[in-house]
Amino acid sequence: VNPEVLPLLSHRADLGPNPNGTANRLNGADRAAHDWYRFVLAFPPQLVRQYLKRFQVVTGQTVLDPFCGTGTTLVECKKLGISSIGVEWNPMAHFASRVKTAWDVDGDAFRSNALEISRAASKAFKRVGLSDAVCADNQLAGRAEFRALTADAAKVVLRDSISPIPLHKVLTLLSSIDSVGNFRFAQHFRLAVANEAVHSYSNLRFGPEIGLGPRRDDAAVIATWLNRIRRMAEDIQALRPRAGVRSHVLRSDSRDMPEQIQDESIDAVITSPPYPNEKDYTRTTRLESVLLGFLSRREDLKELKQSLIRSNTRNVYTGDDDETWAQRFPAVQEVAAHIERRRLELGKTSGFERLYARVTRNYFGGMVRHLEQLRRVLRRGARLAYVVGDQASYFRVMIRTGSILAEIAETLGYEVEGIDLFRTRLATATREQLREEVVCLRWP
Ligand SMILES: C[S@@+](CC[C@H](N)C(=O)[O-])C[C@H]1O[C@@H](n2cnc3c(N)ncnc32)[C@H](O)[C@@H]1O
């Protein structure tokens, strides 16, 4: 085992089943780079460390996260000196993963360029009668001159996601980054805007579902952004010794393993794919995706959803045929048939309810496709950890996601080493404990 990796691993607390849902939290000691931008339900860095240790991953080997989201696996590997590859289709998450693993930045130049940008933005605020500080005078500013989203873009974000003054300020800050920002730092600056837009400028709240919270009519956009930039600069300084560790993030669909990943090149997989849980993951990233220009029309959203694993009825489309991949798996057919029987018993007839059985088959079909394609890139003896959760979102029919995926993997030639309990969650509807598990596989 890489001697450099072990000391880093050994002082950390191991992960155990955690019934109260705190297992996803980011520890203060782990904050660097991970908190530059993060999904609320991203898995925690200590989980990645635990499986790197268990799988005895060493420097010179390569770890893959085929559903890398905001890059927890990649950041953690890089901190430990291990090469990694991430695959992600959501452009916002892909962007975040790329920036979070880019540490070859000169901290002083980074800070001074950020100050230049803040001065330019501040001047632009004054031109329309605004100050960065939250103050009553801002409410009297010349709103006709405010920057706003295009009508098409406004249809993509949740209504009232952000109030007019913070929106004007954030669009002005982004435009100052475009005009004064050094190209070597601009992506980091933009990611900081994305993070602050959600957490400090918007009216959005996560609980963990996204929704509207108390309205923020104004926000000190530049000041909060600069604070974030200062913290990023400190992180960069601390992480720079590891800047050369390879980390590659591909924007691709993991149901068709991207060609850029070479045959038999992957030593370990640590990942958390979507679950069939009726959650539209794209909802949580809409505001920042629009602000940063990744989505500007509803059609973009459709195109995004079509390349994601089907995990909710909002991303099922007429031509979907992932379910054909699941045809030979009785466990998938049984659970889907159970859902459909329950629907008929309950007399439920809405368009979405009619899709519950289908989305379940399409979900597992997509995962079959992924696990089949993945085999090409795995080295012999590769070890895999898939973090997945049980679900009961469809008429309370229990979907044992981990067990079904383990069965599928076994049929496809993987060895199932075991299913670990990561944590349990109480399902509000059924009062049943839902297991979140880590399916451990080995490619023989
Ligand atoms: C549960 S999240 C992963 C969170 C991640 N572990 C983190 O730390 O942020 C699942 C991710 O899979 C992505 N995804 C879903 N279907 C995909 C596909 N077909 N190809 C690539 N990524 C996909 C989603 O966009 C989402 O970011």
Side-chain angles (χ1 to χ4, degrees), residues 39 42 67-70 72 88-90 252-254 272 274 307-309:
F39 281 164
F67 302 95
C68 75
T70 54
T72 309
E88 172 58 53
W89 184 257
N90 180 332
S252 203
D253 182 344
S254 273
S272 168
S307 288
L308 298 178
I309 294 266

Side-chain angles (χ1 to χ4, degrees), residues 236-308:
I236 285 167
Q237 212 148 342
L239 297 171
R240 219 167 163 199
R242 299 281 203 211
V245 177
R246 192 174 66 106
S247 181
H248 203 53
V249 193
L250 303 167
R251 180 153 185 248
S252 203
D253 182 344
S254 273
R255 291 170 300 172
D256 304 313
M257 256 313 112
E259 280 170 17
Q260 295 98 309
I261 308 181
Q262 286 177 3
D263 293 0
E264 299 183 34
S265 61
I266 300 299
D267 301 281
V269 173
I270 302 178
T271 193
S272 168
Y275 324 152
N277 59 1
E278 206 43 21
K279 284 200 176 75
D280 174 359
Y281 286 98
T282 70
R283 274 169 69 85
T284 58
T285 55
R286 299 255 184 109
L287 175 63
E288 60 274 40
S289 299
V290 165
L291 290 173
L292 264 49
F294 294 122
L295 298 176
S296 42
R297 307 167 305 150
R298 274 182 194 267
E299 288 78 3
D300 299 342
L301 195 60
K302 184 172 171 193
E303 188 250 5
L304 161 60
K305 289 185 185 182
Q306 282 181 327
S307 288
L308 298 178

